[in-house]
């Protein structure tokens, strides 16, 4: 029986080959064959690496679409107010992958008249460029440096106090967030005093958003509302514009009703836990930042729930309440004046705009793509044979993508967290 594993040398042509323009500090375990083919997907060839996802074009495309979605939801490449008027001068993207975020960040600031920002990407292998052009960079006018290094090996080959902004995006499947002290020590070492440390992350399991009012009405606001309330209202307005929901401690969420997502949640949680990874990293980042109170100040966060499709209770009106079985609605507004349409039908909520529907479709396809990318881990945990997995995944895709299987409120939970490093006492 032939092996399903094929090795790709680092000089191979293609978008995932290692660029010879890199600064290389790679460990010997990577060697000159950094990639391996398993079941027609390309993975990093490092047995001790926790990362369970492939690194082929299909996965890089999925990650790029999610990055574009987060750009839209967060209003740009960073949520830090420090850069509203003055951009960073030196930026590090940790686990840069294809460097798509760095490229979009460069373009964003260049469009605002700031094209001289210096960008550095750090990763265990290069996933960008052809490997043939020594001068390759994500964008032609971009000041770019790639540093190839295994982040588990400290210290990193980067200078103390070097960066104004350090972005850690979607890194929860690469390094355990349960004990990130070693990583935080490196982040703080290379971050300038006054610089910003920012995380963008998504949870890997799916919950269901239950019926609730999207935002506090203006009539409910009191005259003594503080600035925080105003800021929260602005965030809610932005989220509503894109069809997302701001998450607070009071946001009603529960387990999904979709049977495929219920199964996926169980398998993903068990499989990631066995690797020392968390299925819900969004619950961990804020507390870790707060633990660094001696060094970090102005800790801020923005968490959003992005429904994977139009939700039934949105269409029927927020007065609806999901029953325990989730399959029927109770009109909590009975007896109250409610307008009906000209046909005498029950009142319905406002439908999604084209941009809102497109953003939710992107979130849905991103989730489905993640499930498919985790096939080796999920298949192992579930005990399914290849034929059984193919049957299950086919039915899952049909249900979620074509039959409205997420109309009960299943959502993708994303978040952004940022904090500023204290200035030196001398300054």
């Amino acid at each position: 029986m032939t092996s399903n594993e094929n090795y790709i040398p680092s000089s191979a042509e293609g978008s995932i080959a290692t660029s010879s323009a890199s600064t290389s500090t790679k460990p010997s375990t990577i060697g000159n064959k950094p990639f391996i083919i398993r079941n027609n997907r390309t993975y990093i060839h490092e047995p001790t690496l926790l990362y369970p996802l492939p690194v082929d074009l299909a996965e890089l495309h999925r990650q790029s679409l999610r990055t574009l979605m987060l750009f839209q939801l967060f209003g740009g490449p960073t949520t830090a107010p420090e850069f509203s008027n003055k951009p960073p001068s030196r930026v590090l993207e940790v686990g840069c992958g294809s460097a798509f975020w760095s490229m979009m960040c460069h373009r964003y600031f260049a469009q605002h008249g700031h094209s001289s920002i210096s960008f550095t990407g750090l990763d265990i292998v290069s996933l960008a460029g052809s490997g043939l052009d020594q001068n390759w960079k994500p964008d032609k006018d971009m000041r770019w440096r790639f540093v190839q290094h295994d982040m588990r090996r400290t210290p990193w080959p980067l200078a103390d106090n070097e960066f104004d902004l350090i972005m850690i995006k979607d890194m929860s499947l690469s390094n355990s967030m349960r004990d990130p002290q070693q990583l935080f020590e490196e982040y703080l070492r290379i971050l300038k005093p006054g610089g910003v440390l920012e995380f963008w992350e998504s949870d890997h399991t799916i919950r269901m958003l239950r019926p609730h009012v999207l935002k506090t009405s203006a009539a409910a606001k009191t005259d003594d509302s503080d600035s925080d309330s105003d800021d929260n209202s602005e965030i809610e307005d932005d989220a509503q514009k894109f069809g997302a929901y701001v998450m607070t401690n009071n946001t009603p969420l529960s387990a999904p009703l979709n049977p495929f997502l219920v199964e996926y949640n169980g398998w993903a949680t068990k499989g990631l836990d066995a690797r020392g990874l968390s299925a819900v990293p969004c619950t961990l980042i804020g507390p870790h930042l707060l633990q660094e109170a001696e060094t970090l100040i102005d800790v801020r966060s923005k968490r959003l729930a992005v429904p994977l499709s139009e939700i039934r209770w949105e269409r029927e009106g927020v007065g609806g309440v999901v029953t325990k079985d989730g399959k029927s609605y109770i009109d909590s507004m009975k007896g109250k004046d409610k307008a009906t349409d000209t046909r005498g039908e029950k009142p319905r909520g406002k439908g999604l705009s084209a941009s809102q529907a497109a953003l939710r479709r992107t979130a849905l396809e991103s989730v489905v793509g993640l499930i498919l990318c985790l096939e080796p881990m999920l298949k192992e945990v579930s005990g399914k044979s290849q034929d059984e997995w193919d049957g299950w995944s086919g039915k899952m895709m049909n249900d979620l993508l074509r039959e409205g299987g997420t109309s009960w409120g299943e959502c993708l939970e994303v978040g952004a967290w940022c904090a500023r490093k204290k200035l030196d006492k001398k300054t």
Side-chain angles (χ1 to χ4, degrees), residues 4-25:
N4 289 326
E5 297 186 353
N6 296 302
Y7 298 94
I8 302 178
S10 60
S11 59
E13 184 175 357
S15 64
I16 57 173
T18 305
S19 172
S20 58
S22 313
T23 299
S24 179
T25 58

Side-chain angles (χ1 to χ4, degrees), residues 2 22 53 93 98 100 108 120 134 143 183 208 215 239 267 270 310 322 336 370:
T2 59
S22 313
L53 298 178
E93 183 181 2
S98 66
F100 186 77
Y108 176 88
T120 299
Q134 295 186 5
R143 298 178 62 184
L183 293 176
M208 185 177 72
K215 68 172 187 174
W267 299 336
K270 184 176 180 180
E310 185 175 43
V322 180
K336 297 185 179 181
L370 175 65

Side-chain angles (χ1 to χ4, degrees), residues 42 118 177 203 206 214 218 255 262 273 295 308 373 395 415:
T42 304
S118 175
M177 286 300 298
D203 279 345
I206 303 300
L214 182 62
V262 170
D273 185 69
T295 308
L308 301 182
C373 283
K395 293 177 182 177

